[in-house]
Amino acid sequence: MKPSADRAHSPHSLSDRLNSLRVQAVLWLLLPFALLLLIILAVTTLAYQQVVNSLIIARDREIAVVAAERISEKLQNYADILTVLGNDPGLRADDEARRLAVLRGASEQLAPFDGGVFILDASGQLVASLAPAGVKQAPVNLEPYFRSVRTLQVPAFSDILDQPDQADSVLAVLAPIGGSTGDVVGALVGVFQLKNQQLGGDIQRLRIGERGLAYLVDRQGRAIYHPDASLLGQDLRSEAVVQRVLQGDHNALVATAGDEQVVYGYASVAASGWGLITRESFATLTAPVRPYLGTALLVLGLGLLLGLFWLALGAQRITEPINRLAAQAVRLAAGAEVTHVDGGAIRELQTLAQAFDDMAQQVAGSRAAQRSYVAALTRTQEDERRRIARELHDGTVQALVAIGRRLEYLEGSAQNPELVGQLAALRQEVGAAAAEVRRFSHELRPLVLEDLGLTPALRYLANQLHEQHGIQVTLTVRGALRGLTGDQELALFRIFQETLTNVAKHAQATGASALLESDAEGVLLQVSDNGRGFTQALSTDDFARRGHFGLIGIQERAQRLGGRLEIESQPGQGATVRVWLPV
């Protein structure tokens, strides 16, 4: 009978085991969890190469951009040396000895130009030189760069110049020699010998990974510097990366060189228009992450163990949606923005969470839409300002300058004294119009902010208010302005500009004071005037009804960057505007 009893009990025991909580937890929780981990592992493995490629490309692109900026700064320093020296009155003298004396006096600053320094007159002819032995004339083929210096009145960098009577090719930096009336009366030319690698020293000091290298090409694709000296001066346009950098692009790419994959980063050198290229071995870069698959398997095993642990604490998860809902309710009551609340797997909690989300969306929807609209409008306005400023500068101003030069030529050619006087007066009016258009262009596009930084830009606005409206503005700066993004600096610039505009148009003030204060948490901009003041509005709608659209713009700019606006004013007691932005 015993065998029969055992057979009768066996199916029942197996069924009990399958219906037990432990087995059901494994079947319904751990098995799907393990399957999910396997799927994640498979997808991650497939995406691994693409992700690594993207990260490496982003890294090398940034390396190339930063390196190009460093080279550009160094080249600009060379150009600045010549520009400063070009303003020396001694270079305009007709006495060659005096010109040479000026060059010899600056020999220490001119030491980097190992190919010599040459002075060209207004027609491009050599009039003086300070050159090493064996070099008796200026480099040939300088004409297009000399014309650029005369026309634009800014320094120019040449491409590689082959010299018929010299074994070594050269590079030239040309800077204008200013006349007493502001015109260009010649050019100062600094020359680098290509094989001496004067420029290459700056690139050699760049660290491109463990075994990476960098090289520099001119605008014709010829190698200015290369670790392989045999490639100096060679045309490298057959390389795809050289073709891309010559188009002014900055990026990175993975390519095959010989029997290995390499990563090229490339960027344009802003000062000269040349191209900087970096190269690293792809295998070297990916070596630290190759153990990824083994680590992923280990993570999978740990995940299964953690699944068993979380199974025991499953009941606790019921309260998590409730806690999240309570926390978001507190934020909503305080006026802060709230996020979506996950109701979990319980139907009643899902319904409650959905009702809360609907309520929060109704409260925040209108305000979010308004902010998005204002942000888009602000960006569009800034883009339009830049476009108009660019068109004024590149079109109208250049046309007025050309007209002025034409009038100057006609003035010098005219024989009738009365006509000469009229042409001179007309030329002055055209010059004044060009200056006014240039000033308006600068107001539309804050070049002073881009070139000098926030503090000088604010002082510039304060000086403008004093010059145009006679209102004295005292600006005080406290703390070091660190950590501000470009958007934050532009926002503070526009807020200060709008505030000063309101002071000039509406406040009837005779003076104002401004404070720019920065600490570890944020930056405060405060402007106070002694004008007539106004009755404070309670909300943005009140601002709109009263026509204070400038204050609405200030408020939206501040809120868009996570800041806040405070206004204090009473009729007859002036007004104070405070804007705080977080760092």
Side-chain angles (χ1 to χ4, degrees):
M1 297 296 296
K2 187 175 180 180
S4 177
D6 290 341
R7 284 193 298 271
H9 183 70
S10 295
H12 179 73
S13 299
L14 179 61
S15 177
D16 289 341
R17 293 191 186 97
L18 291 177
N19 292 328
S20 67
L21 177 61
R22 182 177 300 178
V23 174
Q24 290 294 312
V26 171
L27 293 176
W28 294 101
L29 293 178
L30 288 185
L31 288 183
F33 181 65
L35 180 60
L36 178 62
L37 287 179
L38 290 174
I39 293 174
I40 293 175
L41 178 62
V43 172
T44 304
T45 302
L46 294 175
Y48 163 75
Q49 186 68 35
Q50 183 63 35
V51 172
V52 171
N53 285 0
S54 300
L55 293 175
I56 290 176
I57 286 176
R59 169 189 177 274
D60 281 64
R61 178 176 64 245
E62 292 303 318
I63 289 177
V65 169
V66 172
E69 290 176 352
R70 293 181 181 176
I71 298 300
S72 180
E73 291 175 0
K74 189 68 174 180
L75 294 177
Q76 189 60 51
N77 289 338
Y78 293 141
D80 291 342
I81 292 173
L82 297 180
T83 300
V84 172
L85 190 59
N87 293 323
D88 193 310
L91 296 185
R92 300 194 296 267
D94 294 332
D95 185 1
E96 181 179 357
R98 185 177 175 187
R99 292 170 175 161
L100 289 175
V102 173
L103 295 182
R104 292 191 181 99
S107 59
E108 183 176 352
Q109 291 86 352
L110 299 176
F113 301 104
D114 52 8
V117 180
F118 305 87
I119 301 177
L120 307 181
D121 62 14
S123 61
Q125 300 299 315
L126 178 65
V127 295
S129 64
L130 183 64
V135 179
K136 299 182 180 179
Q137 64 179 17
V140 299
N141 303 324
L142 287 177
E143 179 61 25
Y145 311 107
F146 179 75
R147 289 199 305 268
S148 174
V149 169
R150 288 201 59 188
T151 302
L152 302 178
Q153 300 186 12
V154 295
F157 291 82
S158 76
D159 294 324
I160 295 177
L161 302 173
D162 296 322
Q163 305 302 300
D165 56 345
Q166 298 182 25
D168 190 12
S169 300
V170 298
L171 292 159
V173 185
L174 293 82
I177 298 176
S180 58
T181 60
D183 56 340
V184 176
V185 298
L188 190 60
V189 184
V191 178
F192 296 103
Q193 294 183 358
L194 189 63
K195 292 183 179 179
N196 286 350
Q197 295 295 290
Q198 176 67 29
L199 296 176
D202 300 322
I203 304 178
Q204 286 178 334
R205 288 188 287 271
L206 297 175
R207 292 188 57 84
I208 311 297
E210 296 182 0
R211 295 189 302 167
L213 57 88
Y215 55 98
L216 191 65
V217 298
D218 66 10
R219 286 162 290 199
Q220 305 303 318
R222 299 179 64 184
I224 297 174
Y225 167 79
H226 199 286
D228 184 355
S230 64
L231 296 179
L232 289 179
Q234 298 298 315
D235 189 345
L236 304 181
R237 282 178 292 183
S238 59
E239 299 181 11
V241 65
V242 175
Q243 298 176 13
R244 294 194 181 189
V245 77
L246 293 181
Q247 297 173 358
D249 192 12
H250 62 276
N251 209 329
L253 58 88
V254 179
T256 301
D259 57 351
E260 69 170 345
Q261 276 192 316
V262 296
V263 183
Y264 290 103
Y266 53 92
S268 178
V269 180
S272 61
W274 301 338
L276 179 71
I277 301 170
T278 64
R279 170 178 165 172
E280 293 186 84
S281 169
F282 185 84
T284 301
L285 291 173
T286 57
V289 294
R290 288 175 187 168
Y292 170 77
L293 291 179
T295 303
L297 292 175
L298 177 61
V299 171
L300 177 61
L302 292 176
L304 292 174
L305 295 176
L306 288 175
L308 289 172
F309 173 75
W310 286 110
L311 182 61
L313 301 177
Q316 183 180 349
R317 300 190 58 175
I318 298 176
T319 61
E320 290 180 358
I322 299 176
N323 293 334
R324 289 194 295 266
L325 182 62
Q328 293 300 318
V330 172
R331 288 179 54 83
L332 182 62
E337 294 184 0
V338 298
T339 59
H340 169 71
V341 178
D342 183 7
I346 300 175
R347 178 171 55 84
E348 290 79 6
L349 290 179
Q350 291 176 348
T351 303
L352 181 60
Q354 184 60 48
F356 177 85
D357 288 341
D358 294 341
M359 179 182 65
Q361 290 177 5
Q362 291 177 5
V363 172
S366 176
R367 187 177 181 186
Q370 182 183 16
R371 287 186 182 178
S372 299
Y373 173 77
V374 172
L377 187 63
T378 300
R379 288 192 295 269
T380 303
Q381 183 185 52
E382 290 294 338
D383 292 342
E384 185 66 13
R385 283 180 172 179
R386 292 191 184 95
R387 184 189 68 80
I388 295 174
R390 183 170 58 252
E391 291 181 359
L392 287 175
H393 182 272
D394 297 342
T396 307
V397 172
Q398 299 302 324
L400 291 174
V401 171
I403 293 172
R405 291 182 177 177
R406 183 63 178 170
L407 290 174
E408 182 180 4
Y409 172 78
L410 295 176
E411 179 184 348
S413 303
Q415 303 296 326
N416 188 333
E418 180 178 358
L419 179 58
V420 170
Q422 293 177 353
L423 289 173
L426 183 57
R427 179 168 55 84
Q428 292 178 355
E429 293 179 2
V430 171
E436 181 65 17
V437 174
R438 188 178 291 110
R439 181 194 64 78
F440 181 68
S441 173
H442 289 170
E443 289 182 354
L444 286 174
R445 182 184 181 188
L447 294 177
V448 64
L449 176 64
E450 299 175 5
D451 296 339
L452 302 180
L454 179 60
T455 300
L458 299 188
R459 296 193 187 280
Y460 167 76
L461 292 177
N463 292 335
Q464 271 197 325
L465 184 69
H466 182 257
E467 292 175 0
Q468 297 174 7
H469 300 281
I471 301 176
Q472 182 69 42
V473 180
T474 303
L475 175 61
T476 303
V477 180
R478 299 175 185 168
L481 296 175
R482 298 189 181 98
L484 291 178
T485 66
D487 286 344
Q488 288 176 318
E489 289 190 346
L490 179 60
L492 290 172
F493 178 86
R494 291 300 188 198
I495 288 171
F496 191 69
Q497 187 178 44
E498 180 62 30
T499 304
L500 295 187
T501 300
N502 290 339
V503 171
K505 289 184 177 180
H506 308 297
Q508 298 179 2
T510 59
S513 62
L515 170 64
L516 183 65
E517 185 176 20
S518 177
D519 56 22
E521 296 182 357
V523 60
L524 171 68
L525 176 62
Q526 175 178 298
V527 180
S528 302
D529 64 72
N530 61 359
R532 62 179 182 175
F534 55 89
T535 302
Q536 288 186 236
L538 298 177
S539 66
T540 303
D541 293 338
D542 291 333
F543 281 144
R545 285 193 293 270
R546 298 180 186 181
H548 298 317
F549 296 105
L551 294 177
I552 294 177
I554 293 175
Q555 184 181 48
E556 292 300 331
R557 284 183 185 273
Q559 290 180 346
R560 185 166 60 90
L561 296 175
R564 59 179 180 268
L565 166 68
E566 296 178 358
I567 299 175
E568 293 182 3
S569 181
Q570 292 183 9
Q573 298 185 16
T576 297
V577 176
R578 297 188 189 90
V579 173
W580 181 86
L581 296 180
V583 176

